[in-house]
Amino acid sequence: MSKVTINTLKEKKANNERITMITAYDYPSAGMVEAAGLDMILVGDSLGMAMLGYDTTLPVTVEEMLHHTRAVVRGAKNTFVIGDMPFLSYHVSVEQAVNNAGRFLKEAGAQAVKLEGGQEQVPVVKALVAAGIPVLAHIGLTPQSVNQMGGFKVQGKDKEQAEKLMKDAKALEEAGAFGVVLECVPAPLAEVITKSLTILTIGIGAGAGCDGQVLVWHDVLGITQSMKPRFVKKYAELYEETIKALKEYKSEVEKGDFPQKEHSFGMSEENIPKLY
Ligand code: KIV
C-alpha cells in the first residue's frame, strides 16, 4: 500500500471516489485498519467514551490524545492519521491552538488535526494552516459542545440552522481546512453542502451524499454494548465473540484442559530438582 497523503484524498474527491475513515486508538487496531486498506484513521477524542469510560469527550486531555496518536501512527505507517484536538486545547487563544496542534505532528507523527466548530474557529484554522498543519473541521453535532446543544441531537433540521451550517462549511473552506466532518446532519443538507464545497466532506450520520464516511471502531465491530445510534452499522459482533472466548478460556483453565503439552516447555529429567 502506498502512503496516503492529503493529495491522495484530494484526488479521490476529484475522481468522485469515496473516502474511507474509521477511528482507532491503539497500535493493533491501527495495523488492522491499514491491512484493510482504509484511507484515514481518526484518533478521535471519542476515545474518552469508547476507551476510557467517560460519559462525554470533555475530560480528554492533550496528553491522552498524544499517547494514543503515537501508538496509532506506529501501527499504520501508510494510512493518513488525524489527531483530534480535545476540548479547551484550541479555545483559549490562537497561540495555544497552534502549540497544541503542532504537538500532534511534531511529537505524535500525525498528518493532520481535527477540531470542532464553524465560523468562530476561522482564526484558529487560518493560523494552523499558515503553520503547515492540515485541518479537518467538524460541524453539525459537535460532541464537545454537548452542554450547549442539550444532548447528542441531529443538527440543521430547520432553515435557520441549515443556513448556518452551510455558512460554517463555506467559512471553514475559505479558512483553508482540507475537509469537514458533518456529524448528524440531515442527508439532503449534507449533500447540498458537499456539492457546494471543493474540500472533502466526511459524514457520520449524514447520509450517502458526502465524499467519505467515518464511524467509530467500537461501533463498527460491535464492541459497544451501550445505546446504538441509528447511523451506526455493525459489521461484526466482537462483544459476543470476546465473551464466548473468555468463558471458554476460564472453563478450560478451571477444568485443567489448558495448557496442554503443546503450550508448555519441557526439560530433561536429570535437571529437575529432587524433592527428597
Ligand atoms: O471523536 C470522534 O471519534 C469523532 C468522530 C465521530 C467524527 O469526532
Side-chain angles (χ1 to χ4, degrees), residues 23 25 42 44-46 84 114 116 138 181 183 204 214 216:
T23 68
Y25 313 103
L42 171 66
D45 65 351
S46 51
D84 208 0
K114 178 175 84 57
E116 296 181 7
H138 181 164
V181 170
E183 179 163 354
I204 173 162
V214 59
V216 167

Side-chain angles (χ1 to χ4, degrees), residues 29 32 217-225 234-246:
S29 55
M32 287 186 250
W217 175 266
H218 293 66
D219 294 337
V220 171
L221 296 176
I223 299 170
T224 318
Q225 278 310 94
K234 274 195 211 175
Y235 288 83
E237 291 287 356
L238 292 198
Y239 180 86
E240 306 298 342
E241 276 294 304
T242 306
I243 301 291
K244 189 168 156 255
L246 293 174

Side-chain angles (χ1 to χ4, degrees), residues 101-135:
R103 294 185 69 191
F104 280 88
L105 275 66
K106 206 170 162 151
E107 297 175 31
Q111 272 99 70
V113 297
K114 178 175 84 57
L115 53 81
E116 296 181 7
Q119 293 156 80
E120 72 283 6
Q121 292 302 347
V122 162
V124 170
V125 174
K126 280 188 175 165
L128 298 188
V129 174
I133 303 169
V135 178

